[in-house]
Amino acid sequence: MSTGTSPGTGLRAGGATYAPAPGAAPLARMIAAQTAFETKLLLRNGEQLLLTVIIPSLLLVLFSTVDVVDTGAGEAVDFLAPGVLALAVMSTAFTGQAIATGFERRYGVLKRLAASPLPRWALMTAKTLSVLVTEVLQVVLLTVIAFALGWSPHGSPLVVLLLLVLGTAAFSGLGLLMAGTLKAEATLAAANLVFLLLLVGGGVIVPLDRFPDGAQAVLGLLPISALSDGLRDVLQHGAGTPWGDLGILAAWAAAGLGAAGTFFRWE
């Protein structure tokens, strides 16, 4: 009786084929499985849900119904909704992902995943895809709330989608860079501090024209400002493609993802 193996067909013995064959699953299937796993972890984490869903929703309702901040002419929700959408992207792609990945790195989860057949770049891809899935849920929820508050959006949905995707790439790269270079506790503190600072100074709730001219020039180059201003130009004012804001987001995305790929330490 002869025995032998044939790659990809399993073990052969006496003419019979035994399955499954050893070896890694196709790359696309591995990325899809890891994406589903990352998404489930994110949605099951109460603290992450507070940061990514509840806080943006409360801010939208509070500042749309209570006259606290001067948002200019027109309905407050028309100014606030684009900014809160930008905040939701930042809270998920940057703050939430940085904290979660930082502690995964501390507890050795990333070290074990790095030893699996899943390439490291594919793991980052899966994390970014899970962020996109979460953002879809965020956008749907915030849009429903905004419409209930009297929101009247304008502009092209395709331009809005492009802004959200580029914003996600920019914040995801920065979040992974922070998580892969700092200790978990430092990442936790820094990510939350940045979130609060950009909430105030990123044009989300307070218009940038309320700041001094010099500060406006600097704040306008931040990714949260570019995303919120770009969304506001399209959704509130019905403008065309905001190439300047898209360029800023693309530059941040290239720099953040490039630096994360270069300096990310897995343990």
Side-chain angles (χ1 to χ4, degrees), residues 198-215:
L198 295 185
L199 170 62
V200 176
V204 174
I205 302 297
V206 181
L208 287 182
D209 58 16
R210 301 293 187 271
F211 293 91
D213 292 340

Side-chain angles (χ1 to χ4, degrees), residues 242-261:
W243 294 110
D245 294 317
L246 287 172
I248 293 173
L249 291 173
W252 279 102
L257 291 172

Side-chain angles (χ1 to χ4, degrees), residues 25-201:
L27 183 59
R29 189 186 304 173
M30 289 193 291
I31 293 176
Q34 188 65 30
T35 299
F37 176 72
E38 297 282 349
T39 304
K40 290 177 182 177
L41 285 181
L42 184 61
L43 295 178
R44 289 175 180 175
N45 191 318
E47 295 178 357
Q48 296 294 337
L49 286 178
L50 173 66
L51 179 68
T52 61
V53 177
I54 297 177
I55 290 179
S57 300
L58 288 177
L59 289 174
L60 178 59
V61 173
L62 174 63
F63 288 102
S64 296
T65 55
V66 180
D67 189 13
V68 177
V69 178
D70 182 10
T71 57
E75 297 292 333
V77 67
D78 291 333
F79 173 87
L80 293 168
V84 172
L85 288 174
L87 179 68
V89 170
M90 182 180 71
S91 66
T92 303
F94 173 71
T95 312
Q97 182 169 220
I99 295 171
T101 306
F103 280 96
E104 286 178 353
R105 177 168 164 257
R106 175 186 176 182
Y107 294 130
V109 175
L110 295 184
K111 179 181 179 180
R112 289 169 174 81
L113 286 174
S116 73
L118 183 68
R120 295 184 177 187
W121 67 265
L123 174 60
M124 289 189 176
T125 300
K127 285 184 173 293
T128 301
L129 289 175
S130 73
V131 166
L132 289 172
V133 172
T134 305
E135 286 178 358
V136 170
L137 300 177
Q138 287 178 295
V139 169
V140 170
L141 175 61
L142 292 172
T143 300
V144 170
I145 294 174
F147 275 125
L149 293 169
W151 186 33
S152 300
H154 307 280
S156 170
L158 292 179
V159 176
V160 172
L161 178 62
L162 180 59
L163 284 164
L164 292 175
V165 170
L166 275 178
T168 299
F171 284 118
S172 185
L174 295 173
L176 290 172
L177 175 63
M178 180 179 289
T181 54
L182 301 179
K183 292 184 178 180
E185 293 81 3
T187 298
L188 175 63
N192 281 313
L193 177 60
V194 170
F195 177 83
L196 292 174
L197 291 177
L198 295 185
L199 170 62
V200 176

Side-chain angles (χ1 to χ4, degrees), residues 225-241:
S225 302
L227 182 55
S228 59
D229 282 352
L231 290 173
R232 194 168 288 122
D233 285 343
V234 176
L235 292 172
Q236 183 179 11
H237 304 298
T241 305

